[in-house]
Amino acid sequence: MESPAYPPKPRPGDRIGVISPSSGLPGLLPTPYELGLRRLEKDFGLVPVEYPATRKMGSTPQERADDIHAAFADTSIRAVMASIGGDDQITVLPLLDRELIRANPKPFFGYSDNTNLLARLWNTGIVGYHGASVMCELGRPGAMAPRTAESLRAALFTTGPFELRPAERFRDVDRDWADPATFAAEPETRPGGGWSWYGPQRVVEGRSWGGNLEILSWLLMANREIRADLSAYDGCVLFLETSEELPPATEVFRILRNMGERGLLRRFPALLMGRPKTWSFEQPNDPSSAARYAGEQREAVQRALATYAPKTMAVFDVDLGHTDPQLVIPYGGSVRVDGPARRITVTY
């Protein structure tokens, strides 16, 4: 397989397709969604274009596949962004026309359940962008996190290297989107602890692959979008993150163990592990419990690496995935991890 290629970038004034490949939550919770649309237009100069299933709860996989096809086939649409994630995008994958997408490459932005479509793009030969959804990042109460906005702007409109930097402060606790008071104030944040480096310290540069760990485990179980020839991943930079469902450390270890048993984990000389989400409405952890959860997850990842990929260098608490601020990671694009200098540079 050839390395994924970067699709042409949009420019201010262009149209951007907004789709819901997973969940039609914009129809249920319009406030953050419509705020995100306004920011796309006002702050980024793009013209959002919605599709039939974008605000439709309970849309069928075929309806969502039709929206993906329409957004990619329309030559006036210069980029595509997911409204939010979900949990069943894997049912959409068999309905997608790979050749239609290959013939109309565009930057696609999304994460979480959108790992499905990003993995499909990787195998289709197109670089995607893990990060930025309309409801979560663009619809953030108060204002977009400055570091998120900076990363998204660079990923949308520029080409070339972009150095990632650790967040000085981050937000982990969510507020109810159905409560108007949520959007009247800036969310509370707490100090960031920087990144932690683990394993052999060297310089690794390669194409990225990965995404949300839970979704990758489903792809592995369903045997979808995982290359049969594992040498396709040799030398790639793996990046992983976990969701607001807060998978326990034992489950994180078991997923990585199975990747190791399959011979996949050792293919990656470097791993970027996103700062774990440690709070949810179902598990509203206090700071002590949150720190314990994050520590147990790190220990699980380190145990899997020690067993199956002892030569892999890892960086923990990278600001990617289900965290705020959030840095956009090019999916299939070039990533340079400089252990001795403690620097991470992506190419947008």
Side-chain angles (χ1 to χ4, degrees):
M1 186 192 74
E2 296 182 2
S3 295
Y6 289 88
K9 296 292 184 80
R11 289 184 277 188
D14 284 343
R15 287 153 53 95
I16 181 169
V18 177
I19 58 177
S20 297
S22 298
S23 171
L25 273 179
L28 188 64
L29 295 164
T31 301
Y33 176 65
E34 291 172 359
L35 176 58
L37 293 181
R38 290 195 298 272
R39 286 179 177 153
L40 267 180
E41 194 158 14
K42 180 181 177 181
D43 298 344
F44 292 88
L46 296 171
V47 181
V49 178
E50 297 184 60
Y51 289 83
T54 305
R55 299 188 190 222
K56 182 178 179 181
M57 286 294 292
S59 60
T60 67
Q62 187 62 62
E63 288 173 317
R64 286 175 272 155
D66 290 345
D67 282 0
I68 295 171
H69 291 151
F72 274 88
D74 186 340
T75 57
S76 74
I77 299 294
R78 307 299 296 173
V80 183
M81 183 176 288
S83 66
I84 198 166
D87 66 5
D88 74 338
Q89 196 178 113
I90 196 167
T91 65
V92 178
L93 287 180
L95 306 174
L96 295 181
D97 184 337
R98 194 184 300 270
E99 294 310 312
L100 181 152
I101 295 172
R102 192 195 311 275
N104 299 277
K106 294 173 185 179
F108 170 74
F109 292 82
Y111 65 105
S112 194
D113 199 34
N114 293 290
T115 296
N116 287 282
L117 185 49
L118 289 165
R120 165 60 67 94
L121 293 174
W122 198 92
N123 283 326
T124 306
I126 301 170
V127 172
Y129 295 89
H130 181 277
S133 66
V134 176
M135 294 183 73
C136 297
E137 285 67 46
L138 284 143
R140 181 182 187 268
M144 282 190 72
R147 194 153 293 179
T148 303
E150 177 191 25
S151 173
L152 176 57
R153 190 176 303 278
L156 270 168
F157 300 126
T158 71
T159 59
F162 180 89
E163 184 169 350
L164 307 185
R165 293 174 293 132
E168 295 177 359
R169 299 187 66 86
F170 73 98
R171 175 184 64 88
D172 195 40
V173 176
D174 299 317
R175 296 181 65 189
D176 186 0
W177 277 346
D179 182 357
T182 293
F183 297 90
E186 187 74 15
E188 293 185 5
T189 61
R190 51 196 176 100
W195 300 337
S196 298
W197 297 71
Y198 168 85
Q201 299 302 293
R202 58 183 186 277
V203 177
V204 172
E205 187 165 4
R207 299 280 179 174
S208 63
W209 183 86
N212 180 259
L213 185 63
E214 298 103 296
I215 304 305
L216 287 177
S217 75
W218 298 351
L219 290 171
L220 285 159
M221 284 189 282
N223 197 28
R224 289 186 182 158
E225 302 306 325
I226 306 298
R227 303 285 295 186
D229 181 3
L230 296 183
S231 67
Y233 304 104
D234 286 347
C236 288
V237 174
L238 178 65
F239 70 96
L240 299 171
E241 54 99 14
T242 53
S243 76
E244 76 282 358
E245 294 189 358
L246 309 189
T250 51
E251 183 62 20
V252 169
F253 174 76
R254 287 166 180 167
I255 295 171
L256 294 173
R257 179 177 63 188
N258 290 338
M259 290 175 67
E261 289 291 332
R262 190 162 179 164
L264 183 58
L265 199 58
R266 63 181 174 82
R267 305 283 175 170
F268 305 98
L271 163 65
L272 306 182
M273 193 73 200
R275 177 187 293 109
K277 183 76 170 168
T278 62
W279 186 100
S280 71
F281 288 105
E282 291 74 25
Q283 298 183 60
N285 288 325
D286 59 28
S288 176
S289 298
R292 183 167 58 252
Y293 174 87
E296 290 172 351
Q297 182 180 111
R298 181 180 303 186
E299 290 174 2
V301 175
Q302 290 177 352
R303 182 156 58 102
L305 292 177
T307 303
Y308 294 101
K311 296 181 180 180
T312 295
M313 171 177 57
V315 191
F316 290 90
D317 291 334
V318 181
D319 306 275
L320 66 91
H322 289 75
T323 190
D324 175 36
Q326 180 201 75
L327 300 171
V328 176
I329 305 297
Y331 197 109
S334 179
V335 176
R336 177 183 172 89
V337 187
D338 188 334
R342 298 293 197 264
R343 298 174 70 178
I344 303 172
T345 304
V346 300
T347 297
Y348 288 145

